[in-house]
Amino acid sequence: MTLPSLTALEARIRDDLARIAHPRASWLTPRVAPDGSAALDVLVVGAGQSGVVTAFGLKRSRVDNVLVIDKAPYGEEGPWVTFARMQTLRSPKDFTGPDLDIPSLTYQSWHEARYGAAHWQALDLITREDWNDYLLFMRRVTEIPVENDTELLSLSQAGELVAATVRDRDGERTLHARKVVLATGQDSTGRWWMPDFVERVAPSLRAHAADTIDFAALKGKVVAVLGAGASAFDNAATALEAGAASVHLFCRRLEPQVIQPYRWITFRGFMKHLADLDDSWRWRFMSRVMGLREGFPQATYDRCARHPNFLLHTGAPWTAAREEAGRAVVTTPHGDFAADFLICGTGIAMDYAAKPELAAFHDNIATWGDRYAPSAEEANDRLAAFPYLSPDYQFMEKVPGQTPWIANIHLFSIASTMSFGPSGSSINAMTTAVPRLVDGVTKGLFAADVEANWSTFLAYDVAQAEVRQTVPGLGIAAE
């Protein structure tokens, strides 16, 4: 049921959007797909916050022939009610993003309409469930077209178009689009990674932090967590709250990383213009940020530390793992440790071949390692594997000319970070990153239509005024 205050907010949003809709003129030349159907101007893959806000930004630029697809069912797009296990967002409540600087669309406006202004003032951090509800509200009120339960299987060239094979409840079909935006989340260009020796342990004894985990089954069990980032702590806390006998978190560093470098780079100049710097500065900044890794806030640590059966082991990377008597045994520099279940909060490995949608061109994606050679002190193989993107978020070719059509595929995810800093995976960067992405997409669409636009311009003959009285010359009397 829609609350009266939310109904009033919806009316306000629609009025605001109508007031800033200039220019309203349609400007794109339709394309026909090889099968005779109308091609999309843009297909956005992923209906989480990045995909929906990208579609909204395109809509504001009068790119209306857009479809967003997501393999998840309605309400489960993104991590918020699936594998995100923090209780609240880590961003301050007043960070804006999906609203694209429209006050009535901010989270604060939605929260006050739902709970009241006093509740907002008393709020510390936004719950992930409320954030998920807000994103669904924003998607509905801006009328973004989304098809859920629709998975992208492959991308290929179809003349000047991109053919996207998808699978939904009715089977497989092909969508054609002039441009594709991959807003496919954290594992968009790779896979959730854990050490090979952990993967060789029986699946019943281990999981990645991004997996579906039956935490209730861990009641009374000994749990070992690898990693000391925020998500590792979140999983440790969830296991403790589910009644685990003890939870041991293993950190490879001698001291956990408590500085959050992303807080420093959250200012307009950096977020908007990092991508305008040369490669050496971009690498220097982002290798420092990503080399430190993401820190965890006090509340995340306290959520674990309040339990007396939580132990943090520092200077204790896992170097091996085995099964023994129905348990998992990990090896550390301090000896072996036996647990009933292992959880790896170990992030993502770049692995283009692991993504079916990238299969047609995975071996020709230019990486940072292909385009930039840092000093020995700044070298980092993990970061060198990130895609080297164009200024418009497009994939670039490792070998020019082999797959030129991938210039029609724009990547807007955590894999964009090395090229753009906070962008496709960051709430607070949306107000700068989405407009840049949208400008890149529309620039390509406009350039491809330039001849059609010229012809239309030459044929333009709409009179702006009607002149009804004329004198065919000036009569002058002879002397």
Side-chain angles (χ1 to χ4, degrees):
M1 177 178 178
T2 302
L3 299 175
S5 52
L6 282 175
T7 300
L9 178 62
E10 289 186 32
R12 178 181 154 203
I13 290 169
R14 291 192 173 97
D15 182 65
D16 284 348
L17 293 177
R19 289 170 186 261
I20 60 173
H22 172 77
R24 289 179 166 83
S26 298
W27 60 278
L28 289 163
T29 302
R31 296 293 198 276
V32 177
D35 60 6
S37 64
L40 296 164
D41 288 322
V42 184
L43 173 67
V44 180
V45 184
Q49 62 186 23
S50 294
V52 167
V53 180
T54 295
F56 174 50
L58 289 166
K59 187 173 184 178
R60 290 196 61 201
S61 291
R62 286 311 309 265
V63 182
D64 298 312
N65 184 18
V66 174
L67 176 65
V68 184
I69 63 172
D70 198 293
K71 64 183 178 182
Y74 175 81
E76 295 183 14
E77 308 86 354
W80 308 113
V81 295
T82 53
F83 65 86
R85 296 180 177 118
M86 67 281 211
Q87 294 174 323
T88 65
L89 272 59
R90 307 189 213 286
S91 304
K93 68 178 183 180
D94 58 351
F95 276 12
T96 58
D99 50 90
L100 298 184
D101 291 331
I102 299 171
S104 58
L105 262 179
T106 60
Y107 176 84
Q108 179 178 350
S109 295
W110 177 86
H111 191 100
E112 289 178 342
R114 184 170 184 178
Y115 299 113
H119 193 278
W120 167 259
Q121 291 300 323
L123 182 69
D124 180 20
L125 293 170
I126 301 167
T127 68
R128 56 186 176 84
E129 293 86 358
D130 274 346
W131 184 255
N132 196 60
D133 287 348
Y134 160 68
L135 293 173
L136 293 172
F137 168 84
M138 181 260 177
R139 160 178 154 182
R140 178 174 61 80
V141 78
T142 57
E143 299 178 339
I144 302 302
V146 179
E147 289 187 9
N148 284 95
D149 303 296
T150 303
E151 181 179 8
L152 175 64
L153 300 179
S154 67
L155 295 172
S156 59
Q157 183 179 16
E160 64 174 356
L161 303 174
V162 178
T165 301
V166 303
R167 180 171 54 222
D168 57 23
R169 293 173 180 173
D170 297 323
E172 294 187 12
R173 60 192 169 107
T174 300
L175 301 171
H176 292 87
R178 298 178 63 184
K179 296 285 186 181
V180 173
V181 175
L182 296 178
T184 40
Q186 296 187 58
D187 60 335
S188 59
T189 53
R191 54 187 170 80
W192 297 105
W193 173 85
M194 62 179 72
D196 292 344
F197 52 79
V198 176
E199 287 191 331
R200 289 193 288 268
V201 173
S204 60
L205 296 175
R206 49 82 176 168
H208 193 280
D211 291 336
T212 299
I213 300 174
D214 183 2
F215 283 95
L218 301 181
K219 183 176 181 178
K221 302 294 180 67
V222 175
V223 178
V225 180
L226 178 61
S231 64
F233 274 95
D234 290 337
N235 279 265
T238 304
L240 288 162
E241 291 159 0
S246 63
V247 174
H248 299 254
L249 190 144
F250 292 80
C251 173
R252 63 180 173 84
R253 291 185 173 95
L254 292 175
E255 294 184 3
Q257 165 68 18
V258 295
I259 298 171
Q260 173 53 288
Y262 279 92
R263 285 296 178 91
W264 183 87
I265 63 179
T266 302
F267 60 91
R268 183 73 63 158
F270 190 96
M271 294 190 297
K272 192 170 185 178
H273 296 298
L274 173 74
D276 299 324
L277 299 178
D278 62 31
D279 288 352
S280 63
W281 274 115
R282 288 197 289 171
W283 180 274
R284 183 174 298 175
F285 271 114
M286 293 317 300
S287 64
R288 172 70 175 170
V289 169
M290 300 177 73
L292 285 173
R293 303 290 184 111
E294 185 176 356
F296 53 87
Q298 188 66 52
T300 300
Y301 172 76
D302 290 344
R303 187 180 167 201
C304 291
R306 69 170 57 101
H307 297 268
N309 52 339
F310 171 71
L311 292 94
L312 173 60
H313 303 261
T314 58
W318 294 355
T319 58
R322 65 183 188 275
E323 297 175 45
E324 191 173 286
R327 306 182 82 197
V329 180
V330 296
T331 300
T332 79
H334 309 290
D336 288 350
F337 182 86
D340 298 303
F341 197 74
L342 309 179
I343 300 176
C344 291
T346 42
I348 298 154
M350 289 293 151
D351 185 357
Y352 306 111
K355 308 302 292 185
E357 64 268 29
L358 306 181
F361 57 96
H362 73 88
D363 55 353
N364 200 38
I365 295 173
T367 67
W368 269 85
D370 296 322
R371 298 300 178 89
Y372 179 68
S375 65
E377 299 79 37
E378 293 182 338
N380 186 311
D381 290 343
R382 180 176 69 91
L383 302 183
F386 273 67
Y388 186 96
L389 302 176
S390 82
D392 298 325
Y393 289 89
Q394 296 151 300
F395 280 118
M396 299 185 72
E397 294 181 277
K398 183 176 298 188
V399 179
Q402 283 192 356
T403 55
W405 61 277
I406 67 175
N408 289 320
I409 304 174
H410 300 248
L411 181 67
F412 195 58
S413 70
I414 199 168
S416 311
T417 304
M418 278 302 296
S419 295
F420 294 92
S423 48
S425 61
S426 176
I427 294 170
N428 59 314
M430 283 187 179
T431 53
T432 56
V434 171
R436 186 180 191 118
L437 169 65
V438 169
D439 286 349
V441 173
T442 56
K443 180 172 70 175
L445 292 170
F446 178 75
D449 281 356
V450 66
E451 291 187 6
N453 285 330
W454 176 247
S455 297
T456 303
F457 174 52
L458 292 179
Y460 181 75
D461 61 356
V462 179
Q464 188 171 325
E466 179 183 354
V467 179
R468 293 181 295 274
Q469 296 180 354
T470 63
V471 176
L474 179 62
I476 303 176
E479 294 183 359

